[in-house]
Amino acid sequence: MRARSAFVYALLRLLAFFVPFGIMMLFPVLRDQYWLAAIFAALIGLSLSMLFLRRPLDDVSMGIAERRAARRRNDSDEAVEDAFRDESDTDAAATTPGQPASDDTAH
């Protein structure tokens, strides 16, 4: 994920809230009931972000998905388990049933 795309998306989301909130705070009725103006601004900001911020959201979510996939490939439990299984299969193939793996254990 590029930090720039996350920053742009966060900034646009904040603007989508604070611009309607600032406009509503100009009205005397909503100035007294600022919590109502905040609720309306949140609803307006959510609506604006759903309509106009689809592309920045896709950029951010694709970046997050790519990072998670890369981390999953590198640090997955399955990779560790597969490596352990391959190692134990190699050890089992090196020894035959009934014979010890090395001569040191025969003493």
Side-chain angles (χ1 to χ4, degrees):
M1 173 179 69
R2 291 178 287 162
R4 182 178 185 272
S5 61
F7 178 73
V8 167
Y9 180 70
L11 183 67
L12 291 174
R13 284 291 307 258
L14 287 171
L15 285 174
F17 172 77
F18 282 115
V19 169
F21 183 72
I23 292 171
M24 282 189 267
M25 290 307 290
L26 296 175
F27 298 114
V29 173
L30 292 176
R31 192 177 304 145
D32 293 334
Q33 297 177 346
Y34 61 90
W35 56 271
L36 191 60
I39 291 173
F40 287 148
L43 292 174
I44 292 169
L46 178 66
S47 300
L48 289 174
S49 67
M50 288 176 65
L51 291 173
F52 298 113
L53 299 181
R54 173 86 46 195
R55 185 171 293 145
L57 176 62
D58 288 341
D59 292 342
V60 171
S61 61
M62 288 299 294
I64 291 172
E66 289 170 359
R67 277 186 37 203
R68 289 185 73 192
R71 186 181 306 150
R72 190 172 292 148
R73 273 185 260 124
N74 293 338
D75 297 334
S76 71
D77 289 337
E78 295 172 0
V80 173
E81 290 171 359
D82 290 342
F84 180 75
R85 187 178 308 128
D86 291 343
E87 183 179 307
S88 64
D89 289 344
T90 304
D91 290 343
T95 60
T96 57
Q99 290 183 351
S102 65
D103 293 331
D104 293 338
T105 59
H107 289 45

